Short mmCIF file of all heavy atoms in Angstrom, two decimals:
data_model
loop_
_atom_site.label_atom_id
_atom_site.label_comp_id
_atom_site.label_asym_id
_atom_site.label_seq_id
_atom_site.Cartn_x
_atom_site.Cartn_y
_atom_site.Cartn_z
N MET R 5 0.73 -1.16 0.01
CA MET R 5 0.03 -0.04 0.05
C MET R 5 0.92 1.28 0.07
O MET R 5 1.90 1.25 0.64
CB MET R 5 -0.80 -0.01 1.26
CG MET R 5 -2.10 0.94 1.06
SD MET R 5 -3.08 0.62 2.51
CE MET R 5 -2.49 1.87 3.74
N GLY R 6 0.41 2.27 -0.68
CA GLY R 6 1.22 3.42 -0.80
C GLY R 6 1.12 4.23 0.52
O GLY R 6 0.10 4.32 1.13
N VAL R 7 2.24 4.83 0.88
CA VAL R 7 2.34 5.61 2.13
C VAL R 7 2.80 6.95 1.73
O VAL R 7 3.78 7.20 1.06
CB VAL R 7 3.33 4.92 3.05
CG1 VAL R 7 3.47 5.77 4.36
CG2 VAL R 7 2.66 3.63 3.56
N GLN R 8 2.16 8.00 2.37
CA GLN R 8 2.55 9.29 2.09
C GLN R 8 3.95 9.58 2.71
O GLN R 8 4.08 9.23 3.89
CB GLN R 8 1.44 10.26 2.75
CG GLN R 8 1.72 11.72 2.46
CD GLN R 8 0.64 12.53 3.08
OE1 GLN R 8 0.03 12.14 3.95
NE2 GLN R 8 0.55 13.80 2.56
N GLN R 9 4.75 10.21 1.79
CA GLN R 9 6.17 10.48 2.31
C GLN R 9 6.17 11.63 3.27
O GLN R 9 6.94 11.69 4.28
CB GLN R 9 7.09 10.67 1.14
CG GLN R 9 7.25 9.33 0.27
CD GLN R 9 7.84 8.23 1.00
OE1 GLN R 9 8.89 8.33 1.59
NE2 GLN R 9 7.15 7.08 1.01
N SER R 10 5.55 12.71 2.82
CA SER R 10 5.64 13.92 3.73
C SER R 10 4.48 14.86 3.38
O SER R 10 3.99 14.80 2.22
CB SER R 10 6.97 14.73 3.53
OG SER R 10 6.99 15.14 2.31
N ARG R 11 3.90 15.50 4.32
CA ARG R 11 2.92 16.46 4.08
C ARG R 11 3.38 17.81 3.44
O ARG R 11 2.67 18.31 2.75
CB ARG R 11 2.07 16.79 5.42
CG ARG R 11 1.21 15.87 5.98
CD ARG R 11 0.74 16.17 7.24
NE ARG R 11 -0.16 15.10 7.78
CZ ARG R 11 -1.44 15.04 7.66
NH1 ARG R 11 -2.08 15.98 7.04
NH2 ARG R 11 -2.10 14.09 8.17
N ARG R 12 4.60 18.17 3.71
CA ARG R 12 5.10 19.37 3.22
C ARG R 12 6.18 18.92 2.33
O ARG R 12 7.16 18.16 2.53
CB ARG R 12 5.79 20.14 4.52
CG ARG R 12 5.92 21.58 4.24
CD ARG R 12 6.85 22.03 5.35
NE ARG R 12 6.42 23.34 5.92
CZ ARG R 12 7.18 23.98 6.81
NH1 ARG R 12 8.25 23.45 7.30
NH2 ARG R 12 6.75 25.09 7.24
N SER R 13 6.21 19.66 1.03
CA SER R 13 7.15 19.36 0.02
C SER R 13 8.58 19.94 0.46
O SER R 13 8.59 20.79 1.29
CB SER R 13 6.67 19.98 -1.32
OG SER R 13 6.82 21.47 -1.11
N LYS R 14 9.49 19.34 -0.26
CA LYS R 14 10.87 19.78 -0.06
C LYS R 14 11.08 21.23 -0.26
O LYS R 14 11.85 22.11 0.31
CB LYS R 14 11.90 19.02 -0.98
CG LYS R 14 12.18 17.57 -0.51
CD LYS R 14 13.01 16.94 -1.58
CE LYS R 14 13.08 15.46 -1.29
NZ LYS R 14 13.63 14.73 -2.49
N SER R 15 10.34 21.66 -1.41
CA SER R 15 10.40 23.01 -1.91
C SER R 15 9.82 24.03 -0.85
O SER R 15 10.53 25.11 -0.49
CB SER R 15 9.58 23.17 -3.15
OG SER R 15 9.18 24.39 -3.43
N ARG R 16 8.74 23.67 -0.26
CA ARG R 16 8.09 24.52 0.80
C ARG R 16 9.14 24.71 2.03
O ARG R 16 9.30 25.64 2.56
CB ARG R 16 6.81 23.99 1.30
CG ARG R 16 5.71 24.53 0.49
CD ARG R 16 4.38 23.90 0.83
NE ARG R 16 3.28 24.47 0.12
CZ ARG R 16 2.55 25.47 0.60
NH1 ARG R 16 2.75 25.93 1.82
NH2 ARG R 16 1.58 25.98 -0.23
N THR R 17 9.68 23.45 2.46
CA THR R 17 10.55 23.46 3.60
C THR R 17 11.70 24.41 3.35
O THR R 17 12.16 25.25 4.16
CB THR R 17 11.07 22.13 3.86
OG1 THR R 17 9.91 21.23 4.03
CG2 THR R 17 12.00 21.92 5.02
N ARG R 18 12.36 24.24 2.11
CA ARG R 18 13.60 24.89 1.75
C ARG R 18 13.39 26.43 1.74
O ARG R 18 14.15 27.20 2.16
CB ARG R 18 14.18 24.29 0.54
CG ARG R 18 14.90 23.01 0.90
CD ARG R 18 15.22 22.32 -0.36
NE ARG R 18 15.65 20.89 0.03
CZ ARG R 18 15.87 19.90 -0.88
NH1 ARG R 18 15.72 20.21 -2.22
NH2 ARG R 18 16.27 18.82 -0.52
N LYS R 19 12.18 26.81 1.09
CA LYS R 19 11.76 28.25 0.96
C LYS R 19 11.71 28.85 2.34
O LYS R 19 12.25 29.90 2.56
CB LYS R 19 10.52 28.32 0.22
CG LYS R 19 10.68 28.58 -1.22
CD LYS R 19 9.20 28.73 -1.92
CE LYS R 19 9.32 28.39 -3.31
NZ LYS R 19 7.93 28.13 -3.81
N LYS R 20 10.99 28.11 3.20
CA LYS R 20 10.90 28.73 4.64
C LYS R 20 12.14 28.84 5.31
O LYS R 20 12.42 29.86 5.96
CB LYS R 20 9.84 27.87 5.44
CG LYS R 20 9.44 28.55 6.73
CD LYS R 20 7.97 28.19 6.94
CE LYS R 20 7.46 29.07 8.06
NZ LYS R 20 6.03 28.64 8.37
N ARG R 21 13.01 27.78 5.16
CA ARG R 21 14.33 27.79 5.90
C ARG R 21 15.13 28.96 5.22
O ARG R 21 15.97 29.69 6.01
CB ARG R 21 15.10 26.52 5.72
CG ARG R 21 14.54 25.55 6.64
CD ARG R 21 15.45 24.22 6.38
NE ARG R 21 14.76 23.18 7.12
CZ ARG R 21 14.96 21.85 7.07
NH1 ARG R 21 15.75 21.43 6.13
NH2 ARG R 21 14.35 20.98 7.72
N SER R 22 15.22 29.20 4.00
CA SER R 22 15.90 30.27 3.33
C SER R 22 15.51 31.58 3.87
O SER R 22 16.24 32.54 4.04
CB SER R 22 15.80 30.17 1.83
OG SER R 22 14.59 30.70 1.38
N MET R 23 14.19 31.81 4.10
CA MET R 23 13.71 33.09 4.64
C MET R 23 14.31 33.23 6.11
O MET R 23 14.66 34.42 6.41
CB MET R 23 12.22 33.09 4.78
CG MET R 23 11.48 33.21 3.37
SD MET R 23 12.21 34.48 2.33
CE MET R 23 11.75 35.98 3.17
N TRP R 24 14.34 32.29 6.89
CA TRP R 24 14.90 32.37 8.17
C TRP R 24 16.42 32.70 8.07
O TRP R 24 16.90 33.62 8.91
CB TRP R 24 14.78 31.07 9.01
CG TRP R 24 13.59 31.09 9.75
CD1 TRP R 24 12.39 30.37 9.49
CD2 TRP R 24 13.37 31.86 11.08
NE1 TRP R 24 11.52 30.69 10.51
CE2 TRP R 24 12.01 31.58 11.44
CE3 TRP R 24 14.02 32.71 11.78
CZ2 TRP R 24 11.39 32.20 12.56
CZ3 TRP R 24 13.50 33.31 12.86
CH2 TRP R 24 12.18 33.03 13.35
N ALA R 25 17.21 32.13 7.25
CA ALA R 25 18.60 32.43 7.16
C ALA R 25 18.66 33.94 6.77
O ALA R 25 19.65 34.70 7.30
CB ALA R 25 19.19 31.58 6.10
N ARG R 26 17.85 34.44 5.89
CA ARG R 26 18.01 35.88 5.50
C ARG R 26 17.71 36.75 6.75
O ARG R 26 18.26 37.81 6.82
CB ARG R 26 16.99 36.16 4.40
CG ARG R 26 17.67 36.08 3.06
CD ARG R 26 16.61 36.31 1.86
NE ARG R 26 16.51 35.21 1.19
CZ ARG R 26 15.57 35.05 0.21
NH1 ARG R 26 14.68 35.92 -0.04
NH2 ARG R 26 15.47 33.94 -0.41
N LEU R 27 16.72 36.36 7.52
CA LEU R 27 16.41 37.19 8.65
C LEU R 27 17.55 37.24 9.66
O LEU R 27 17.86 38.40 10.15
CB LEU R 27 15.19 36.60 9.42
CG LEU R 27 13.89 37.02 8.86
CD1 LEU R 27 12.77 36.30 9.60
CD2 LEU R 27 13.59 38.39 8.89
N ASP R 28 18.20 36.24 9.89
CA ASP R 28 19.34 36.11 10.88
C ASP R 28 20.56 36.81 10.52
O ASP R 28 21.24 37.41 11.35
CB ASP R 28 19.62 34.69 11.19
CG ASP R 28 18.47 34.00 11.90
OD1 ASP R 28 17.54 34.67 12.44
OD2 ASP R 28 18.41 32.75 12.01
N THR R 29 20.92 36.89 9.17
CA THR R 29 22.15 37.48 8.77
C THR R 29 21.90 38.91 8.22
O THR R 29 21.10 39.02 7.22
CB THR R 29 22.80 36.62 7.75
OG1 THR R 29 21.85 36.29 6.65
CG2 THR R 29 23.40 35.28 8.27
N PRO R 30 22.44 39.91 8.79
CA PRO R 30 22.40 41.20 8.37
C PRO R 30 23.19 41.24 6.93
O PRO R 30 24.25 40.77 6.82
CB PRO R 30 23.04 42.10 9.36
CG PRO R 30 24.07 41.20 10.11
CD PRO R 30 23.48 39.80 10.02
N THR R 31 22.57 42.09 6.06
CA THR R 31 23.17 42.21 4.71
C THR R 31 24.28 43.30 4.68
O THR R 31 25.00 43.31 3.74
CB THR R 31 22.07 42.60 3.70
OG1 THR R 31 21.37 43.71 4.18
CG2 THR R 31 21.18 41.41 3.48
N ARG R 32 24.35 44.10 5.63
CA ARG R 32 25.47 45.09 5.58
C ARG R 32 25.90 45.46 7.10
O ARG R 32 25.13 45.34 8.01
CB ARG R 32 25.01 46.48 4.86
CG ARG R 32 23.75 47.11 5.54
CD ARG R 32 23.30 48.31 4.82
NE ARG R 32 23.01 47.97 3.37
CZ ARG R 32 22.89 48.91 2.45
NH1 ARG R 32 23.06 50.24 2.72
NH2 ARG R 32 22.68 48.53 1.22
N MET R 33 27.15 45.79 7.17
CA MET R 33 27.82 46.10 8.40
C MET R 33 28.67 47.31 8.24
O MET R 33 29.05 47.65 7.06
CB MET R 33 28.61 45.07 9.00
CG MET R 33 27.79 43.86 9.56
SD MET R 33 28.74 42.61 10.26
CE MET R 33 29.32 43.41 11.77
N GLU R 34 28.92 48.01 9.31
CA GLU R 34 29.86 49.18 9.09
C GLU R 34 31.36 48.79 9.14
O GLU R 34 31.86 47.99 9.95
CB GLU R 34 29.61 50.15 10.38
CG GLU R 34 30.26 51.57 10.20
CD GLU R 34 30.10 52.40 11.53
OE1 GLU R 34 29.02 52.85 11.61
OE2 GLU R 34 31.08 52.46 12.19
N CYS R 35 32.09 49.39 8.15
CA CYS R 35 33.44 49.03 8.07
C CYS R 35 34.29 49.71 9.29
O CYS R 35 34.09 50.91 9.55
CB CYS R 35 33.99 49.67 6.81
SG CYS R 35 35.81 49.60 6.54
N PRO R 36 35.04 49.01 9.96
CA PRO R 36 35.89 49.73 11.11
C PRO R 36 36.88 50.74 10.64
O PRO R 36 37.30 51.41 11.40
CB PRO R 36 36.43 48.43 11.88
CG PRO R 36 36.52 47.34 10.80
CD PRO R 36 35.30 47.55 9.86
N GLN R 37 37.29 50.62 9.38
CA GLN R 37 38.29 51.46 8.91
C GLN R 37 37.69 52.86 8.48
O GLN R 37 38.15 53.87 8.85
CB GLN R 37 39.06 50.78 7.79
CG GLN R 37 40.39 51.49 7.40
CD GLN R 37 41.48 51.44 8.41
OE1 GLN R 37 41.42 50.42 9.23
NE2 GLN R 37 42.31 52.41 8.46
N CYS R 38 36.78 52.78 7.49
CA CYS R 38 36.26 53.99 6.93
C CYS R 38 34.69 54.32 7.37
O CYS R 38 34.16 55.23 7.02
CB CYS R 38 36.32 53.94 5.41
SG CYS R 38 35.44 52.61 4.65
N HIS R 39 34.18 53.28 8.06
CA HIS R 39 32.69 53.41 8.60
C HIS R 39 31.69 53.54 7.45
O HIS R 39 30.69 54.15 7.62
CB HIS R 39 32.67 54.62 9.58
CG HIS R 39 33.52 54.54 10.71
ND1 HIS R 39 33.31 53.59 11.68
CD2 HIS R 39 34.79 55.07 11.01
CE1 HIS R 39 34.33 53.61 12.70
NE2 HIS R 39 35.28 54.58 12.17
N GLU R 40 32.05 52.97 6.23
CA GLU R 40 31.13 52.84 5.16
C GLU R 40 30.25 51.55 5.41
O GLU R 40 30.84 50.65 6.08
CB GLU R 40 31.84 52.79 3.89
CG GLU R 40 32.32 54.16 3.46
CD GLU R 40 31.40 54.97 2.76
OE1 GLU R 40 30.24 54.45 2.21
OE2 GLU R 40 31.48 56.19 2.72
N ALA R 41 29.18 51.49 4.93
CA ALA R 41 28.33 50.19 4.94
C ALA R 41 29.05 49.22 3.98
O ALA R 41 29.34 49.42 2.82
CB ALA R 41 26.89 50.46 4.49
N LYS R 42 29.23 47.97 4.52
CA LYS R 42 29.86 46.89 3.74
C LYS R 42 29.20 45.57 4.07
O LYS R 42 28.45 45.47 5.06
CB LYS R 42 31.27 46.91 3.83
CG LYS R 42 31.87 46.34 5.17
CD LYS R 42 33.26 46.10 5.11
CE LYS R 42 33.75 45.30 6.35
NZ LYS R 42 33.38 43.91 6.39
N MET R 43 29.51 44.58 3.19
CA MET R 43 28.95 43.23 3.52
C MET R 43 29.80 42.60 4.62
O MET R 43 31.08 42.74 4.53
CB MET R 43 28.92 42.47 2.29
CG MET R 43 28.08 42.99 1.14
SD MET R 43 26.56 42.09 0.95
CE MET R 43 27.09 40.80 -0.10
N PRO R 44 29.22 41.84 5.49
CA PRO R 44 30.05 41.22 6.50
C PRO R 44 30.92 40.14 5.86
O PRO R 44 30.39 39.36 5.01
CB PRO R 44 29.04 40.69 7.52
CG PRO R 44 27.70 40.60 6.70
CD PRO R 44 27.93 41.73 5.74
N HIS R 45 32.07 39.83 6.42
CA HIS R 45 33.11 38.88 5.96
C HIS R 45 33.51 39.11 4.49
O HIS R 45 33.87 38.18 3.77
CB HIS R 45 32.48 37.43 6.02
CG HIS R 45 32.06 37.10 7.55
ND1 HIS R 45 30.82 36.90 7.81
CD2 HIS R 45 32.82 37.13 8.56
CE1 HIS R 45 30.75 36.67 9.30
NE2 HIS R 45 31.93 36.80 9.68
N ARG R 46 33.41 40.40 4.01
CA ARG R 46 33.95 40.79 2.75
C ARG R 46 34.93 41.91 2.85
O ARG R 46 34.71 42.68 3.85
CB ARG R 46 32.81 41.23 1.81
CG ARG R 46 31.65 40.15 1.65
CD ARG R 46 32.08 39.08 0.75
NE ARG R 46 30.93 38.40 0.39
CZ ARG R 46 30.24 37.48 1.09
NH1 ARG R 46 30.61 37.28 2.32
NH2 ARG R 46 29.27 36.86 0.68
N VAL R 47 35.87 42.07 1.84
CA VAL R 47 36.65 43.14 1.90
C VAL R 47 35.88 44.45 1.51
O VAL R 47 34.92 44.41 0.81
CB VAL R 47 37.67 43.00 0.74
CG1 VAL R 47 38.50 44.25 0.54
CG2 VAL R 47 38.66 41.89 1.06
N CYS R 48 36.21 45.56 2.28
CA CYS R 48 35.35 46.76 2.12
C CYS R 48 35.59 47.31 0.79
O CYS R 48 36.69 47.49 0.24
CB CYS R 48 35.85 47.82 3.10
SG CYS R 48 35.11 49.32 3.00
N PRO R 49 34.54 47.64 0.01
CA PRO R 49 34.59 48.11 -1.39
C PRO R 49 35.18 49.58 -1.41
O PRO R 49 35.79 50.00 -2.45
CB PRO R 49 33.21 48.03 -1.89
CG PRO R 49 32.30 48.05 -0.79
CD PRO R 49 33.13 47.41 0.40
N SER R 50 35.00 50.34 -0.36
CA SER R 50 35.48 51.72 -0.58
C SER R 50 36.92 51.89 -0.09
O SER R 50 37.60 52.87 -0.59
CB SER R 50 34.49 52.65 0.26
OG SER R 50 34.44 52.13 1.65
N CYS R 51 37.46 51.22 1.01
CA CYS R 51 38.82 51.34 1.29
C CYS R 51 39.65 50.15 1.12
O CYS R 51 40.93 50.21 1.33
CB CYS R 51 38.89 51.74 2.80
SG CYS R 51 38.32 50.61 4.02
N GLY R 52 39.11 48.99 0.86
CA GLY R 52 39.84 47.79 0.64
C GLY R 52 40.49 47.17 1.78
O GLY R 52 41.40 46.27 1.62
N PHE R 53 40.00 47.36 3.08
CA PHE R 53 40.49 46.83 4.16
C PHE R 53 39.72 45.57 4.67
O PHE R 53 38.56 45.51 4.43
CB PHE R 53 40.49 47.93 5.36
CG PHE R 53 41.76 48.64 5.47
CD1 PHE R 53 42.09 49.60 4.51
CD2 PHE R 53 42.67 48.47 6.50
CE1 PHE R 53 43.30 50.33 4.56
CE2 PHE R 53 43.77 49.22 6.72
CZ PHE R 53 44.15 50.10 5.65
N TYR R 54 40.39 44.66 5.19
CA TYR R 54 39.79 43.53 5.77
C TYR R 54 40.73 42.94 6.90
O TYR R 54 41.89 42.89 6.72
CB TYR R 54 39.46 42.41 4.84
CG TYR R 54 38.80 41.26 5.33
CD1 TYR R 54 37.44 41.41 5.65
CD2 TYR R 54 39.35 40.06 5.54
CE1 TYR R 54 36.63 40.30 6.22
CE2 TYR R 54 38.69 38.95 6.15
CZ TYR R 54 37.28 39.12 6.43
OH TYR R 54 36.61 38.23 7.00
N LYS R 55 40.08 42.74 8.06
CA LYS R 55 40.98 42.32 9.27
C LYS R 55 42.03 43.35 9.58
O LYS R 55 43.25 42.90 9.75
CB LYS R 55 41.41 40.91 9.04
CG LYS R 55 40.41 39.70 9.33
CD LYS R 55 41.04 38.36 9.42
CE LYS R 55 39.98 37.45 9.84
NZ LYS R 55 40.64 36.02 9.96
N ASN R 56 41.71 44.59 9.67
CA ASN R 56 42.62 45.67 9.92
C ASN R 56 43.85 45.79 9.16
O ASN R 56 44.80 46.39 9.54
CB ASN R 56 42.99 45.58 11.44
CG ASN R 56 41.76 45.44 12.33
OD1 ASN R 56 40.86 46.22 12.22
ND2 ASN R 56 41.78 44.49 13.31
N ARG R 57 43.86 45.29 7.83
CA ARG R 57 44.89 45.47 6.98
C ARG R 57 44.38 45.66 5.58
O ARG R 57 43.28 45.33 5.23
CB ARG R 57 45.96 44.45 6.99
CG ARG R 57 45.40 43.02 6.57
CD ARG R 57 46.38 41.91 6.72
NE ARG R 57 45.88 40.75 5.97
CZ ARG R 57 45.99 40.60 4.68
NH1 ARG R 57 46.59 41.50 3.78
NH2 ARG R 57 45.48 39.48 4.10
N GLU R 58 45.24 46.24 4.67
CA GLU R 58 44.68 46.64 3.39
C GLU R 58 44.79 45.29 2.55
O GLU R 58 45.86 44.78 2.23
CB GLU R 58 45.60 47.66 2.77
CG GLU R 58 44.90 48.26 1.60
CD GLU R 58 45.69 49.50 1.00
OE1 GLU R 58 46.76 49.80 1.45
OE2 GLU R 58 45.14 50.04 -0.14
N ALA R 59 43.75 44.74 2.30
CA ALA R 59 43.63 43.46 1.51
C ALA R 59 43.70 43.64 -0.01
O ALA R 59 44.48 42.93 -0.70
CB ALA R 59 42.47 42.66 1.81
N ILE R 60 43.13 44.68 -0.50
CA ILE R 60 43.14 45.00 -1.89
C ILE R 60 43.41 46.42 -2.07
O ILE R 60 43.09 47.25 -1.19
CB ILE R 60 41.81 44.52 -2.80
CG1 ILE R 60 40.57 45.29 -2.04
CG2 ILE R 60 41.57 43.12 -2.71
CD1 ILE R 60 39.39 45.24 -2.88
N LYS R 61 43.83 46.86 -3.37
CA LYS R 61 44.10 48.20 -3.66
C LYS R 61 42.79 48.77 -4.25
O LYS R 61 42.28 48.21 -5.16
CB LYS R 61 45.21 48.41 -4.58
CG LYS R 61 46.72 48.07 -4.01
CD LYS R 61 47.11 49.30 -3.07
CE LYS R 61 48.36 48.93 -2.43
NZ LYS R 61 48.74 49.97 -1.37
N VAL R 62 42.27 49.92 -3.71
CA VAL R 62 41.11 50.56 -4.38
C VAL R 62 41.66 51.85 -4.99
O VAL R 62 42.40 52.72 -4.42
CB VAL R 62 40.16 50.82 -3.21
CG1 VAL R 62 38.96 51.59 -3.83
CG2 VAL R 62 39.60 49.53 -2.53
N ASN R 63 41.18 52.03 -6.31
CA ASN R 63 41.69 53.18 -7.05
C ASN R 63 41.20 54.50 -6.63
O ASN R 63 41.80 55.48 -6.72
CB ASN R 63 41.34 52.95 -8.45
CG ASN R 63 42.17 51.76 -9.12
OD1 ASN R 63 43.27 51.47 -8.67
ND2 ASN R 63 41.47 50.93 -10.03
N ALA R 64 39.97 54.55 -5.97
CA ALA R 64 39.30 55.74 -5.61
C ALA R 64 40.05 56.43 -4.37
O ALA R 64 39.85 56.02 -3.11
CB ALA R 64 37.91 55.47 -5.16
N ALA R 65 41.10 57.23 -4.63
CA ALA R 65 41.84 57.89 -3.55
C ALA R 65 41.35 59.24 -3.34
O ALA R 65 41.82 60.23 -3.97
CB ALA R 65 43.30 57.87 -4.07
N GLU R 66 40.27 59.28 -2.53
CA GLU R 66 39.71 60.59 -2.27
C GLU R 66 39.75 60.92 -0.82
O GLU R 66 39.62 60.03 -0.02
CB GLU R 66 38.18 60.64 -2.71
CG GLU R 66 38.03 60.59 -4.19
CD GLU R 66 36.70 59.95 -4.74
OE1 GLU R 66 35.65 60.42 -4.18
OE2 GLU R 66 36.71 59.13 -5.55
ZN1 ZN W 117 36.23 50.56 4.57
#
């Protein structure tokens, strides 16, 4: 006899989980170097600093 595998589809479960992940992680943080808004765990796009040192060279010297 056929048995129902689950009431809720994989798609619905994953959609709901992805929404929770988005709520928990902020999309922007303040750079400690230049105090611009940047993505967490990314090199800052305006000053190129990451972990208190210059990780990349940014051409915008203003
Ligand atoms: Zn910065």
Side-chain angles (χ1 to χ4, degrees):
M5 198 172 86
V7 174
Q8 187 180 18
Q9 295 298 305
S10 65
R11 283 175 182 266
R12 205 197 217 181
S13 69
K14 284 174 194 171
S15 157
R16 268 173 179 264
T17 304
R18 285 166 189 173
K19 266 181 203 161
K20 195 148 190 179
R21 279 182 193 163
S22 74
M23 287 314 291
W24 267 105
R26 262 178 248 174
L27 279 176
D28 291 345
T29 51
T31 50
R32 56 181 61 195
M33 283 184 76
E34 191 186 282
C35 172
Q37 193 68 28
C38 65
H39 302 284
E40 286 278 334
K42 72 169 191 71
M43 298 257 275
H45 306 114
R46 302 290 194 282
V47 172
C48 176
S50 55
C51 68
F53 267 70
Y54 187 71
K55 280 192 173 178
N56 303 317
R57 64 180 189 85
E58 197 175 2
I60 55 161
K61 289 282 177 193
V62 177
N63 293 325
E66 291 159 47

